[in-house]
Structure formats: structure tokens, C-alpha cells
Amino acid sequence: MIDLWGGCAIVCALSALGTWAARGYALRRQLVDQPGERRSHQVATPRGGGMAIVGALLVAVAWALWQWPVQRLPMAGAAAGFALVAGIGWWDDHRPLSARWRLLVHLLAAAGWSLLVWHLGGQVWMGVLAGLFAVGLVNVWNFMDGINGLAVTQAMLAAVAYAWVLPVPLSWLGWALAAACLGFLPFNFPRARIFLGDGGSGGLGFALAVLFGLGLVAGLGPWSLWLPLGTFLVDAGFTLAARMLSGQRWWEPHAQHVYQRLARRFGHAPVTLGYAVFSGIAIALFFRLQALQPRWEAVGSIVWLVVASTIWLLLRKGLRDH
């Protein structure tokens, strides 16, 4: 039998080999992102490497379906939604689709996952929250995938956090996601030789929403369950709100996130590492809060939200003034 670390090593290797193959494929098909005003990179770079993460994770899920038959329903349901979101993103990487069609598929995948979480957890609010996070995280990871290594390191850290607290065998999905991200990372950081693409970024967002939903089903403290995702949620959420309040066409591509402004001043690697440190602190708090009573868990989560929001506002103001 393959142990946890052996399984992670296989998933990591599959992801790395798949990313290498995806880069060659993207170059042959001219699937390349060009530099531009709304982009943070300076040289033409192939895209679509995130499908290697998708493929490796689906292999991991297939193995889990065989290994733990009792968990076939949540794992098969998660894999179906994950493949749907990644598939429409892969299509969009090849032949750009309208936002309407992409959103329709995202909503379909989220609705399926929402109903499954409702069924597994027995609570309507769990299903609703899981569905909202599915739609939200798919788009958040797409919005925040703009500099080298950022989206994949944030996904890897969050996956480890959830894997650490989820019961076996559900925790395998978190470890497998982290291992798949690790296999992709050397191709994307510190120098990007390939980007995730919409299929990869959307797939990561949905996979993390699955781990969030499984956390609800497993009875983890719901007040702090968002913390491993909080760094991205705060930057994406407040930037979106600011654009909407200022009357901008908020659905269009832009370079107004705090991470993008920081990257223009300090470079990609320092910002990616800085965001990783900040997420590491949030994850440490997440572990601590999971052991507290619900009211103190809620208080701790609200305090962290206030702190993170204040830091975002100060950074945004400082970067605008200089």
C-alpha cells in the first residue's frame, strides 16, 4: 500500500512532468500571454500549465475512490465539479469565451457541490455557504493569478492547512492538492516559464472550495474556516468593492489589486513570499481558533478580519500616494 508521503511524491512528480509537457504543448499551439498594461509580466509566457495540477489531482482522486469506497460520493462529486470548472477554463485558454458562459458553468458546478454538501452535512446553510465559496473562489483565484508563484503558493498553503485538520480520508484531497501545486511551482516561481491559465486558476479555486465544504461537513469551526483563504479574499474582495463603488467596469481585467501594485514596486518574488508569510500567520491563528469555543472562535476571526482589512487599506493608500 502507498503511504501518505509516497502518494504525495507520486502526485508531485505527475504534476511536474505534466507541467513540462504542458509547456511544450503551449509553445507549439502558441498559447502565450503577451505583456500589456493590465498584466504584471514583461515577456511573452506560455499559459495552461495548471492543467497538470488538474490532471495530477484527478489521478489522486481516482486512487482515493478505489482505496476508500465509503467516501466515493463526496470525492466523486468534488471531482466532477473540479473537472467541469477546469475544463471550461481550458477551453477559454484555447478559444476565449464570454464571461456569461464561464459564469454559467461555474454556477452549475457550484450548485452541484452545494447540494452535495447539504446532503452530507444535513444543514441547508452548509450547502448555501459551500456553493457561495465555490463560485467566489473560482473567480478569486483567477483574479489573483497575476504574478509569479502567488496563486499556487497560496493554494498550497491553504491545502496544507485544511489537510492538517480534516479527518482521513478527506484530508488526502488536501495533501494531494498541495503536492500537485508543489510539482508545478518550480515552473512558475521565482521565474515564470509557464502560467496556470484559466483552467488551472479556476480549478485551484474550486478545489479549495471543496476543502472548505468538507470542513463544514466534518464539523470544523465555521467561523474561522475561511482564514487559510483570507489573504486572497481580503485583497480580491476589497478591490472589487472599491471598483464597484467608484463606478468602474469591475468585471474587466485590471491591475489595481494591492499585490499588483506591490509587485510593480518591489518585484514578484518579495510580494509572493510576503503574502505567504501573512497567510502562514493566518493559518497558525486558524489552528488555534479551531480549539476554542464557538464564541471565541468568532471573536478571533472578526479581529483578524479587522487587522487584515486595515493592513489592506493602509497599503492601498500608501501605494496610491507614491
Side-chain angles (χ1 to χ4, degrees):
M1 177 178 173
I2 301 173
D3 62 14
L4 172 64
W5 301 116
C8 286
I10 292 172
V11 172
C12 182
L14 287 174
S15 179
L17 288 171
T19 305
W20 174 80
R23 186 173 187 275
Y25 172 83
L27 290 172
R28 289 192 301 272
R29 293 291 301 271
Q30 292 297 300
L31 300 177
V32 177
D33 282 339
Q34 300 292 339
E37 181 181 350
R38 294 176 177 175
R39 300 181 184 272
S40 299
H41 61 285
Q42 303 300 318
V43 297
T45 306
R47 66 177 181 270
M51 295 306 291
I53 297 176
V54 172
L57 189 56
L58 287 175
V59 169
V61 173
W63 179 80
L65 289 172
W66 172 77
Q67 185 67 29
W68 295 293
V70 71
Q71 294 294 345
R72 281 179 179 169
L73 181 59
M75 291 192 179
F82 176 67
L84 194 61
V85 169
I88 197 67
W90 177 241
W91 188 348
D92 189 55
D93 283 331
H94 285 75
R95 182 178 300 175
L97 298 168
S98 69
R100 182 185 308 162
W101 285 109
R102 295 197 306 272
L103 180 59
L104 180 62
V105 172
H106 297 166
L107 289 172
L108 179 62
W113 179 242
S114 175
L115 290 172
L116 184 55
V117 169
W118 179 6
H119 171 74
L120 294 170
Q123 300 288 334
V124 174
W125 69 268
M126 288 185 180
V128 172
L129 190 58
L132 291 174
F133 263 76
V135 174
L137 290 179
V138 166
N139 289 281
V140 163
W141 246 258
N142 183 269
F143 295 155
M144 299 293 287
D145 178 29
I147 64 173
N148 300 350
L150 183 64
V152 72
T153 55
Q154 289 294 308
M156 184 166 60
L157 288 169
V160 169
Y162 288 129
W164 200 271
V165 295
L166 282 171
V168 177
L170 299 180
S171 61
W172 166 244
L173 297 180
W175 293 120
L177 177 58
C181 289
L182 183 61
F184 173 84
L185 186 60
F187 295 87
N188 189 242
F189 182 82
R191 181 175 69 88
R193 289 179 284 165
I194 191 168
F195 293 148
L196 283 168
D198 286 347
S201 60
L204 285 180
F206 192 86
L208 292 168
V210 164
L211 294 175
F212 176 89
L214 292 177
L216 293 175
V217 172
L220 299 178
W223 288 102
S224 60
L225 203 54
W226 66 276
L227 285 177
L229 312 165
T231 303
F232 266 21
L233 290 176
V234 167
D235 197 352
F238 278 96
T239 300
L240 177 61
R243 285 173 57 80
M244 294 176 70
L245 291 172
S246 63
Q248 300 180 53
R249 297 170 67 87
W250 53 267
W251 58 89
E252 292 184 346
H254 62 87
Q256 297 179 21
H257 290 289
V258 164
Y259 83 87
Q260 292 168 317
R261 297 181 178 191
L262 287 169
R264 287 196 293 270
R265 180 175 298 186
F266 301 108
H268 290 210
V271 177
T272 294
L273 294 174
Y275 268 59
V277 170
F278 192 77
S279 286
I281 296 171
I283 288 169
L285 178 62
F286 165 67
F287 290 151
R288 182 70 185 98
L289 292 179
Q290 284 293 312
L292 301 182
Q293 295 179 355
R295 65 175 180 273
W296 295 115
E297 180 200 358
V299 169
S301 298
I302 292 170
V303 169
W304 182 253
L305 177 60
V306 172
V307 169
S309 303
T310 302
I311 292 173
W312 183 89
L313 288 168
L314 292 174
L315 285 172
R316 184 177 175 87
K317 182 178 185 300
L319 292 167
R320 184 175 60 242
D321 290 345
H322 292 83

